[in-house]
């Protein structure tokens, strides 16, 4: 790698981190985790040269990789601790799970599209993400055999927070999920499980692909 390339990469990373901060990602642990994960490893093809822009990009199966600032804000809201066990519903490119892996003890990520989970599993093996388990299946049902979870992150929009996922959240646990109709702007919701039930906090407007429930896997 040339000195010019080193300079370009350093400037690109500096701009990337500046953009995250300017969009409201201020948590130091979240920023550190995102600095460690190269988004470019998770984007191939025509859009590879746009990997460091703050924009969603298309991936296989009609899915998208979320814009970095949204990944940062969702991660920040999740408030992951080093001993936490996290469930991510909607593996997509694997980028969000990679960020979470730097914050949590263990990450389980599930997606109904085998065309996505197969390459992500290989990618994680290549880059030695040893604390991530990638599964293919209907994430709307969660992962009962590993419940309860300290944190749950849903990267697809549901009309309401899915009941099976709420049931798998431990007391004191947090779930972050986009909620709303698939053809409209949704709201990102933070759900905290309390001894009395669930507290809901609306965070920001977002737009995600819909969460498809009960339709098996591809």
């Amino acid at each position: 790698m040339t000195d010019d390339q080193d300079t370009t990469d350093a400037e690109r990373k500096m701009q990337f981190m500046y953009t995250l901060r300017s969009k409201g990602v201020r948590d130091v642990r979240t920023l550190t985790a995102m600095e460690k994960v190269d988004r470019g490893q998770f984007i191939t093809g025509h859009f590879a040269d746009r990997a460091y822009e703050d924009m969603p990009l298309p991936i296989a199966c009609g899915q998208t990789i979320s814009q970095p600032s949204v990944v940062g804000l969702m991660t920040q809201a999740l408030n992951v601790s080093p001993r936490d066990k996290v469930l991510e519903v909607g593996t997509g490119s694997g980028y969000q799970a990679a960020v979470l892996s730097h914050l949590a003890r263990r990450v389980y990520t599930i997606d109904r599209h085998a065309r996505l989970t197969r390459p992500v599993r290989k990618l994680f093996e290549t880059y030695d993400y040893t604390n991530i388990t990638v599964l293919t299946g209907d994430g709307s049902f969660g992962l009962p055999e590993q419940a309860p979870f300290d944190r749950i992150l849903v990267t697809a929009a549901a009309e309401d927070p899915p009941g099976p996922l709420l049931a798998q959240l431990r007391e004191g646990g947090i779930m972050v999920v986009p909620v709303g109709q698939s053809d409209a702007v949704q709201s990102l919701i933070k759900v905290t499980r309390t001894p009395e039930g669930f507290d809901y906090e609306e965070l920001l407007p977002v737009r995600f692909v819909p969460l498809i429930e009960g339709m098996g896997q591809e």
Side-chain angles (χ1 to χ4, degrees):
M1 186 178 292
T2 65
D3 289 343
D4 285 346
Q5 186 63 49
D6 283 337
T7 301
T8 301
D9 288 346
E11 289 175 348
R12 184 172 58 188
K13 179 172 283 190
M14 188 180 300
Q15 180 60 44
F16 182 79
M17 300 307 294
Y18 173 79
T19 299
L20 292 177
R21 292 186 183 93
S22 70
K23 294 293 181 68
V25 184
R26 307 289 168 78
D27 176 65
V28 174
R29 291 186 69 241
T30 299
L31 288 167
T32 300
M34 295 190 71
E35 190 171 20
K36 290 177 179 176
V37 179
D38 182 359
R39 192 173 185 244
Q41 293 171 351
F42 298 86
I43 301 173
T44 57
H46 298 302
F47 296 97
D49 60 343
R50 309 192 74 173
Y52 305 98
E53 297 179 26
D54 190 43
M55 62 185 299
L57 295 170
I59 57 175
C61 302
Q63 307 298 297
T64 59
I65 177 172
S66 298
Q67 65 193 84
S69 61
V70 171
V71 170
L73 290 167
M74 292 180 76
T75 304
Q76 179 173 267
L78 208 59
N79 192 26
V80 180
S81 298
R83 296 185 61 81
D84 283 349
K85 179 169 64 173
V86 180
L87 172 64
E88 180 196 30
V89 177
T91 305
S93 70
Y95 176 64
Q96 174 73 78
V99 172
L100 291 170
S101 76
H102 287 284
L103 299 167
R105 173 175 59 88
R106 167 64 57 182
V107 177
Y108 292 89
T109 182
I110 183 168
D111 200 294
R112 63 189 297 269
H113 297 290
R115 282 181 57 203
L116 294 175
T117 56
R118 279 196 298 263
V120 167
R121 195 175 288 116
K122 291 178 182 177
L123 190 66
F124 288 159
E125 289 172 358
T126 299
Y127 292 103
D128 205 28
Y129 285 99
T130 56
N131 66 335
I132 306 177
T133 299
V134 182
L135 301 160
T136 305
D138 186 346
S140 65
F141 295 113
L143 201 60
E145 60 270 30
Q146 293 296 337
F149 292 95
D150 302 290
R151 302 289 187 268
I152 298 177
L153 183 65
V154 185
T155 60
E159 290 192 19
D160 296 292
L165 300 183
L166 291 173
Q168 292 171 38
L169 189 64
R170 73 161 175 82
E171 188 176 306
I174 295 171
M175 177 165 69
V176 174
V177 53
V179 172
Q181 298 292 332
S182 60
D183 59 349
V185 174
Q186 305 118 7
S187 293
L188 191 66
I189 304 295
K190 177 179 179 179
V191 185
T192 304
R193 185 163 195 169
T194 71
E196 295 76 30
F198 298 95
D199 286 342
Y200 297 86
E201 178 186 354
E202 190 170 324
L203 300 177
L204 68 150
V206 290
R207 187 183 290 274
F208 280 84
V209 296
L211 179 67
I212 300 175
E213 302 181 35
M215 294 186 63
Q217 59 195 53
E218 297 177 358

